Structures are given as C-alpha cells and as structure tokens.
C-alpha cells in the first residue's frame, strides 16, 4: 500500500493490495465464525467470499469519503490520499465509478448470504449496508 504512493498503479494492483490487507482481516474473522458455527466447506467458502466483498467495500467507501468529506466529518484528515498521491478507487475510476463499484460489492456480499437462513444473516447484511452507506 505504502509502496504504491506516487506510483502508476492499475486497478488490478489496487485490488490485490486491498484483498491482501483489509479483506483478509475480515475473511479471517468471518471464516472463524463460520467454522465455529459448524459450517460445511461450501458454507465457509460463501462466508469467506462475503467477507472479501465487504473488505473491498470498506476500502472503496473509505477512499470515496476521503475525497468527498471534510476532516471534521470524518474525524481524521480528509484529502490525505490525494496529498500523498496514493492509488485509490476514485483516482482510478472516478468518484461515480467508485460508488458504482461499491454498490456492486454490497450486492455481491449480500448475494453470498442468500444460501443461509435470512434471520441468521441479517446482522451480516446490516454490517455490509452500514459499511456501504457510512458517512464517516
């Protein structure tokens, strides 16, 4: 992530960075939960994919907020990614493109949960939506 600052990074590299950073953290937690709950291999894999989508979603939304919100709204320094010439989804896709990608990611995350009991997955759906629509 830090090595990409100021570098000409494409979308595939950016996604690789965030899959191996943000998404993997969420995958580990989600997979552990699925295993402890007694999920079979297919169920555990579905939960892993859900978490990967949510991890990428978090990063896409974070990148968008960095360029669309103020420091006061975020509770952290806004515009830091632009100032450091960091590779971000808005930089590569534009803000509207990044928002559209976020919508795809939340839809994909929720689709991974369709195989499970709706009442049991509602907290995970809520988490995905919270991350997608957060304002800070």
């Amino acid at each position: 992530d830090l090595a990409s600052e100021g570098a000409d990074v494409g979308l595939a590299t950016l996604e690789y960075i965030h899959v191996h950073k943000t998404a993997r953290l969420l995958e580990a937690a989600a997979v552990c939960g699925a295993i402890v709950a007694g999920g079979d291999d297919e169920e555990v894999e579905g939960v892993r994919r859900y978490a990967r989508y949510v991890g990428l979603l978090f990063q896409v939304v974070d990148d968008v907020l960095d360029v669309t919100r103020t420091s006061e709204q975020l509770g952290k320094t806004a515009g830091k990614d632009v100032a450091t010439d960091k590779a971000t989804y808005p930089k590569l896709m534009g803000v509207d493109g990044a928002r559209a990608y976020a919508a795809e990611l939340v839809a994909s995350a929720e689709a991974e949960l369709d195989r499970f009991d709706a009442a049991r997955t509602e907290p995970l759906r809520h988490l995905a939506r919270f991350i997608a629509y957060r304002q800070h």
Side-chain angles (χ1 to χ4, degrees):
D1 190 26
L2 295 175
S4 70
E5 290 180 5
D8 187 22
V9 173
L11 191 56
T13 300
L14 182 60
E15 192 145 310
Y16 176 88
I17 290 167
H18 295 305
V19 162
H20 290 84
K21 187 178 80 166
T22 312
R24 287 280 169 94
L25 290 172
L26 290 171
E27 283 180 42
V31 165
C32 286
I35 291 169
V36 168
D40 62 29
D41 288 348
E42 185 178 320
E43 291 168 330
V44 170
E45 181 59 22
V47 169
R48 187 199 61 73
R49 284 190 304 269
Y50 158 85
R52 177 176 285 214
Y53 290 129
V54 171
L56 286 173
L57 174 66
F58 181 90
Q59 193 60 57
V60 172
V61 171
D62 196 62
D63 288 356
V64 169
L65 292 174
D66 188 68
V67 297
T68 61
R69 296 286 182 225
T70 65
S71 296
E72 293 76 27
Q73 291 169 320
L74 292 176
K76 65 178 186 176
T77 305
K80 192 169 47 174
D81 294 342
V82 172
T84 58
D85 196 26
K86 188 173 179 182
T88 66
Y89 289 94
K91 180 179 178 181
L92 296 178
M93 308 171 89
V95 171
D96 290 340
R99 285 181 171 148
Y101 185 46
E104 290 174 25
L105 290 168
V106 75
S108 295
E110 289 197 63
E112 290 297 336
L113 301 175
D114 288 344
R115 75 182 82 235
F116 302 104
D117 175 76
R120 294 183 72 196
T121 62
E122 190 53 37
L124 295 175
R125 291 177 190 280
H126 178 76
L127 175 64
R129 291 180 203 133
F130 174 80
I131 290 169
Y133 304 114
R134 68 192 175 97
Q135 297 299 308
H136 49 76

